[in-house]
C-alpha cells in the first residue's frame, strides 16, 4: 500500500513539473525545482523519466527544459466531436477574419478560467493570447460570462468560497453579473490588464449546458467600449453558431 502511495505521489510530482510550462516555454532545473518546491535531485530524476518518454526535451546548449514532441502526438488524437478547442477553431478563425482582433475560448476551472484555444489578431499591434493561460474568475469579460451564466448552485458555491479575494466588492460584482445576463454578453476595459479590452459571450451546447466563453480582445484604444457594443451581436451570433456544433 505504501508503494502505491509513493507511486501516485511520483505521478503527481511529474504532472506538477509538466504544468510548470503553462506560462513558460523553457525552464532550468533550478527554476522548475523552485516552482514545484522539491529538491533538485528529485526533480532531476523525474525530468529524466519524462525526457525518456518524450514528454520533456532538454536543450544541451542552454541546459534548459521544454515540452517534448510526445504531447503533439497525443493532441493529434483529440476528438473534434468532443473537444471544443478543436471543433470550434475554424469558426474562431472566421470570426478573427471578420473582426480583426484576437479570439479566445475560455472554460472554468475552480476559481480560474483557462484559455483552451486562441486565434491571434493579424494586426501588428495586438493582444497575444497564449493557450493554457490561467486568469482569476472574478475579473474580465470572459470571467463575468462564465459566472453569470453558470448554474445557480455553482454561482452560490463561488460566491461563498473562502478563496475569493477579501477586497472583492460582492455587491458590485453581482450587479455586473446581472447586467451580463440582461445583455447576453460582457465587456471589460483595463479590468485585468492595462491597455487591454475584451468582449465575451457564452457558448451553450445543444443540451443547453454552458460550455465556454467566446472572447474578442485587443488594445483598448482600438477596441473601444462603443465598438465592442456594436460588435456584440456578431459575437453572440458566432457563439450561438458554435454551440450548434457541440453535442
Amino acid at each position: 500500500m505504501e508503494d502505491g502511495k509513493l507511486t501516485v505521489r511520483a505521478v503527481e510530482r511529474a504532472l506538477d513539473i509538466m504544468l510548470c510550462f503553462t506560462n513558460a516555454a523553457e525552464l532550468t532545473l533550478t527554476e522548475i525545482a523552485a516552482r514545484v518546491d522539491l529538491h533538485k535531485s528529485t526533480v532531476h530524476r523525474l525530468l529524466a523519466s519524462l525526457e525518456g518518454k518524450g514528454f520533456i526535451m532538454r536543450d544541451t546548449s542552454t541546459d534548459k527544459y521544454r515540452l517534448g514532441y510526445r504531447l503533439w502526438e497525443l493532441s493529434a488524437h483529440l476528438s473534434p466531436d468532443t473537444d471544443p478547442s478543436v471543433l470550434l477553431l475554424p469558426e474562431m478563425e472566421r470570426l478573427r477574419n471578420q473582426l480583426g482582433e484576437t479570439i479566445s475560448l475560455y472554460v472554468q476551472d475552480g476559481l480560474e478560467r483557462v484559455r483552451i484555444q486562441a486565434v491571434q489578431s493579424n494586426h501588428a499591434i495586438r493582444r497575444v493570447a497564449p493557450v493554457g493561460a490561467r486568469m482569476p474568475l472574478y475579473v474580465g469579460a470572459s470571467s463575468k460570462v462564465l459566472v453569470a451564466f453558470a448554474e445557480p448552485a455553482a454561482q452560490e458555491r463561488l460566491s461563498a468560497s473562502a478563496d475569493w479575494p477579501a477586497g472583492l466588492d460582492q455587491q458590485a460584482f453581482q450587479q455586473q453579473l446581472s447586467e451580463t445576463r440582461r445583455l447576453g454578453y460582457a465587456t471589460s476595459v483595463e479590468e485585468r490588464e492595462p491597455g487591454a479590452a475584451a468582449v465575451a459571450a457564452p457558448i451553450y451546447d445543444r443540451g443547453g449546458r454552458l460550455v465556454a466563453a467566446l472572447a474578442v480582445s485587443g488594445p483598448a484604444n482600438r477596441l473601444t467600449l462603443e465598438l465592442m457594443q456594436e460588435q456584440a451581436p456578431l459575437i453572440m451570433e458566432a457563439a450561438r453558431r458554435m454551440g450548434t456544433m457541440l453535442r
Side-chain angles (χ1 to χ4, degrees), residues 13-173:
R13 288 174 170 177
L15 292 173
D16 285 340
I17 288 174
M18 299 287 291
L19 291 172
C20 287
F21 294 92
T22 300
N23 298 311
E26 294 184 326
L27 292 168
T28 64
L29 172 62
T30 301
E31 290 170 335
I32 296 171
R35 291 189 179 206
V36 297
D37 195 23
L38 291 173
H39 196 278
K40 285 199 292 186
S41 60
T42 301
V43 174
H44 187 268
R45 288 195 299 270
L46 292 168
L47 283 169
S49 297
L50 290 168
E51 187 178 2
K53 291 294 185 180
F55 290 101
I56 291 289
M57 299 171 59
R58 184 171 67 90
D59 188 333
T60 55
S61 63
T62 62
D63 207 27
K64 289 187 176 182
Y65 295 86
R66 63 167 66 98
L67 294 175
Y69 294 125
R70 184 57 58 89
L71 289 173
W72 292 102
E73 294 177 29
L74 292 176
S75 66
H77 296 286
L78 287 171
S79 171
D81 294 330
T82 57
D83 188 342
S85 68
V86 177
L87 181 64
L88 302 182
L89 183 57
E91 286 295 324
M92 294 175 67
E93 292 174 338
R94 180 182 301 177
L95 187 62
R96 186 272 314 275
N97 294 339
Q98 184 179 15
L99 301 182
E101 300 294 354
T102 295
I103 312 297
S104 300
L105 205 62
Y106 293 94
V107 296
Q108 179 188 342
D109 185 19
L111 293 180
E112 295 179 309
R113 56 182 162 106
V114 184
R115 185 182 293 117
I116 63 170
Q117 187 60 278
V119 179
Q120 309 298 341
S121 167
N122 290 327
H123 287 293
I125 298 176
R126 60 190 178 189
R127 185 168 181 270
V128 177
V131 174
R134 289 177 171 268
M135 282 145 276
L137 200 59
Y138 53 84
V139 65
S142 295
S143 293
K144 284 182 273 192
V145 162
L146 291 172
V147 178
F149 296 103
E151 294 292 332
Q155 292 183 28
E156 291 177 9
R157 286 195 299 272
L158 288 170
S159 61
S161 173
D163 294 326
W164 279 94
L168 180 68
D169 186 335
Q170 282 282 359
Q171 184 175 357
F173 186 65

